[in-house]
Amino acid sequence: MKTQSNRRSFIRNSALTGCTLLVAGKLSAFTFPEDEIPNPKELNYCGYKCPKDCQFLEASVKNDTELKKKAYETWKIKEHYNIDFDAKTSVCFGCKNNDKPAGVVLSNCTVRSCAIDKNINSCIQCKNLKTCDKDLWTRFPDFHQSVIKMQTVYFEAKS
């Protein structure tokens, strides 16, 4: 039996903890409630939904070099992409914000570039999600499984 959830409460709470989980490398703990029908337009390309209080977004909006450095280190960008810190390219305004520069993370996100190439709003719309071996999925296999579950709910609701 599916439980009723308060959508606003879920989004607020999961967003606040979600970014922390992503930043800490624990994206695997992210889940989407099965009684919610995911909307690909409201999700990032990978299926994640960034919180409004994201540390990297705040640093980018304020153009604060020290905050950018902190986010850069927290997100382990040097380790993931082997790219040294540069305040000009260390920005993130969200992966679907086409009015702002992409920055180092988005420029190197293979999931984002694939979704853009396929002209889809989110990976939950991709028929190849289950077998996809993009870096994000191999680094966070439990998150990949959560997104696959979201996809199942999405496709069941469409049928």
Side-chain angles (χ1 to χ4, degrees):
M1 178 176 166
K2 293 184 179 183
T3 60
Q4 293 294 325
S5 68
N6 179 322
R7 181 174 171 77
R8 287 177 200 220
S9 174
F10 165 76
I11 290 171
R12 182 180 62 250
N13 292 336
S14 65
L16 292 174
T17 58
C19 189
T20 304
L21 295 170
L22 173 65
V23 170
K26 297 177 182 171
L27 191 54
S28 59
F30 176 82
T31 58
F32 195 87
E34 290 183 22
D35 63 337
E36 296 284 336
I37 299 169
N39 180 345
K41 292 180 182 178
E42 295 176 356
L43 300 171
N44 288 340
Y45 292 111
C46 66
Y48 184 69
K49 190 165 186 173
C50 294
K52 291 180 182 174
D53 68 343
C54 173
Q55 180 185 44
F56 216 164
L57 175 62
E58 178 186 0
S60 301
V61 169
K62 291 180 178 179
N63 197 23
D64 183 314
T65 301
E66 289 307 311
L67 284 176
K68 287 180 182 183
K69 276 185 189 175
K70 184 177 177 186
Y72 198 87
E73 291 168 5
T74 303
W75 285 46
K76 301 181 190 248
I77 295 169
K78 172 71 175 170
E79 292 86 345
H80 291 306
Y81 302 113
N82 196 28
I83 298 171
D84 292 323
F85 175 79
D86 178 352
K88 291 179 185 171
T89 61
S90 296
V91 295
C92 185
F93 295 97
C95 72
K96 290 185 174 179
N97 188 341
N98 296 325
D99 298 332
K100 300 282 186 180
V104 66
V105 174
L106 299 181
S107 297
N108 287 284
C109 180
T110 56
V111 168
R112 178 179 184 264
S113 60
C114 179
I116 290 170
D117 289 346
K118 290 181 176 183
N119 197 30
I120 58 176
N121 290 301
S122 173
C123 290
I124 66 170
Q125 296 171 296
C126 180
K127 304 268 191 220
N128 300 319
L129 176 61
K130 288 182 182 177
T131 59
C132 185
D133 62 356
K134 301 277 186 276
D135 175 63
L136 179 67
W137 308 135
T138 58
R139 283 189 302 147
F140 302 104
D142 291 340
F143 174 59
H144 187 211
Q145 290 305 309
S146 293
V147 177
I148 291 169
K149 287 179 185 175
M150 283 174 44
Q151 180 185 58
T152 301
V153 172
Y154 172 72
F155 281 131
E156 284 176 357
K158 284 185 66 166
S159 59

